[in-house]
Amino acid sequence: MNKMTEKLIKDTDENRKAKFNMVTMIIGFAIMLMGALCLFIKSISVEYVDKQGFPHENFSLIPMDYLFALAGLIVIITGEIIYLHHKH
């Protein structure tokens, strides 16, 4: 193989790694966006206490927000670690 062929193969491999990193980042941010959406829905939903004293609220959206944010952060960090590990 000549130098140009080796360079093209190396560039293609680097582009594939960069594309994988970009897709991983987009997925991570999309998961984090779902968490923010849960928090937004919780903030605009109607909360009230009925005549018997029972509260009516979407409390389950708060833990879901934290789980989505944590999962998105894990995906982003893991993708970056893999990208930096394979870059060298």
Side-chain angles (χ1 to χ4, degrees), residues 50-69:
D50 63 8
K51 291 182 181 179
Q52 288 87 19
F54 291 110
H56 295 271
E57 62 179 334
N58 294 329
F59 183 73
S60 62
L61 292 174
I62 294 173
M64 286 174 53
D65 167 49
Y66 288 124
L67 289 175
F68 278 130

Side-chain angles (χ1 to χ4, degrees), residues 1 5 8 11-12 19 21 23-24 34 37 47 50 54 57 59 61 65 68-69 71 75 77-78 86-88:
M1 269 195 284
T5 306
L8 285 173
D11 288 346
T12 304
K19 196 177 293 187
N21 186 39
V23 169
T24 305
M34 289 190 307
L37 186 63
E47 299 173 354
D50 63 8
F54 291 110
E57 62 179 334
F59 183 73
L61 292 174
D65 167 49
F68 278 130
V75 167
I77 290 173
T78 305
H86 288 281
K87 191 174 181 179
H88 295 288

Side-chain angles (χ1 to χ4, degrees), residues 4 8 11 13-17 21-23 26 38 40 43-44 47 50-51 54 57 63 69 72-74 79 83-84:
M4 188 58 140
L8 285 173
D11 288 346
D13 191 39
E14 289 175 6
N15 287 340
R16 188 177 311 128
K17 290 175 189 174
N21 186 39
M22 182 184 67
V23 169
I26 291 172
C38 287
F40 177 72
S43 69
I44 64 169
E47 299 173 354
D50 63 8
K51 291 182 181 179
F54 291 110
E57 62 179 334
L73 195 63
I74 288 172
Y83 177 70
L84 292 175

